[in-house]
Amino acid sequence: MRRFVFFLIGFCGLCGLARAEDIGAVDTAFQWIGPNHKIVVEVYDDPKVAGVSCYVSRAKTGGLKGAVGLAEDKAEASIDCVQTGPLRFAADKPLQKQEEMFNERLSILFKRLRVVRMVDVKRHALVYLTYSDRLIDGYPQNSVSAVAVPAGTLIPLK
């Protein structure tokens, strides 16, 4: 029992790391029962690059299924990443050329929203891509944003 409690506490702690901060939402369709359908805007701070924040807008399904967490949200999303402070890279955490930063469940089992960071070494930029995938088949809808890294700032790569 004690191990289970420690596992549960650790798991909940990890879940908190992957969560976005809600910025706001607008209703898009009225629902008689349960919350309305809406577009939500969330922000993710890059965990390995201090000074970069990514704003993601996406559809959130309301109604009775949305209220109890059984709805499958639409796959479309938009992203815009901006420099919100001085860019700082952790010396002990070099970046991979391509790495998933965040993912969030869009349906109870099969669909996820993903944010991937890519390093464009030639242009000295960080590129952020958002897309949805599904267990069986993915979706081609995606959105991309880039943040220029100041000249002279070294991007530590693995």
Side-chain angles (χ1 to χ4, degrees):
M1 178 67 174
R2 193 169 166 182
R3 285 184 186 166
F4 176 73
V5 171
F6 284 121
F7 170 76
L8 190 59
I9 290 170
F11 181 74
C12 290
L14 288 174
C15 291
L17 293 176
R19 296 295 307 167
E21 180 183 334
D22 291 332
I23 298 298
V26 295
D27 291 342
T28 58
F30 175 76
Q31 296 295 296
W32 286 101
I33 300 175
N36 293 336
H37 297 317
K38 53 184 73 183
I39 296 172
V40 297
V41 177
E42 302 165 325
V43 64
Y44 299 86
D45 292 322
D46 189 323
K48 289 190 176 179
V49 184
V52 174
S53 298
C54 294
Y55 294 86
V56 176
S57 66
R58 63 181 181 85
K60 188 163 178 77
T61 305
L64 189 55
K65 284 185 178 181
V68 296
L70 296 176
E72 184 170 318
D73 293 335
K74 297 205 181 273
E76 297 88 8
S78 179
I79 191 169
D80 187 28
C81 298
V82 295
Q83 183 176 345
T84 54
L87 295 185
R88 291 188 317 271
F89 301 92
D92 60 334
K93 294 181 182 175
L95 302 180
Q96 295 178 12
K97 184 92 165 116
Q98 180 174 317
E99 176 178 13
E100 183 174 280
M101 291 183 356
F102 306 102
N103 70 65
E104 185 173 338
R105 184 174 291 142
L106 296 180
S107 72
I108 193 152
L109 291 176
F110 303 112
K111 194 189 297 183
R112 300 192 80 75
L113 174 73
R114 299 185 183 277
V115 177
V116 175
R117 178 196 330 98
M118 300 172 194
V119 179
D120 182 350
V121 176
K122 182 177 178 182
R123 290 161 195 82
H124 215 59
L126 302 173
V127 180
Y128 296 87
L129 169 73
T130 186
Y131 68 99
S132 289
D133 67 359
R134 201 163 154 177
L135 187 61
I136 305 300
D137 57 349
Y139 294 96
Q141 294 92 350
N142 62 80
S143 182
V144 68
S145 182
V147 175
V149 176
T153 302
L154 178 67
I155 303 173
L157 287 175
K158 281 187 183 180

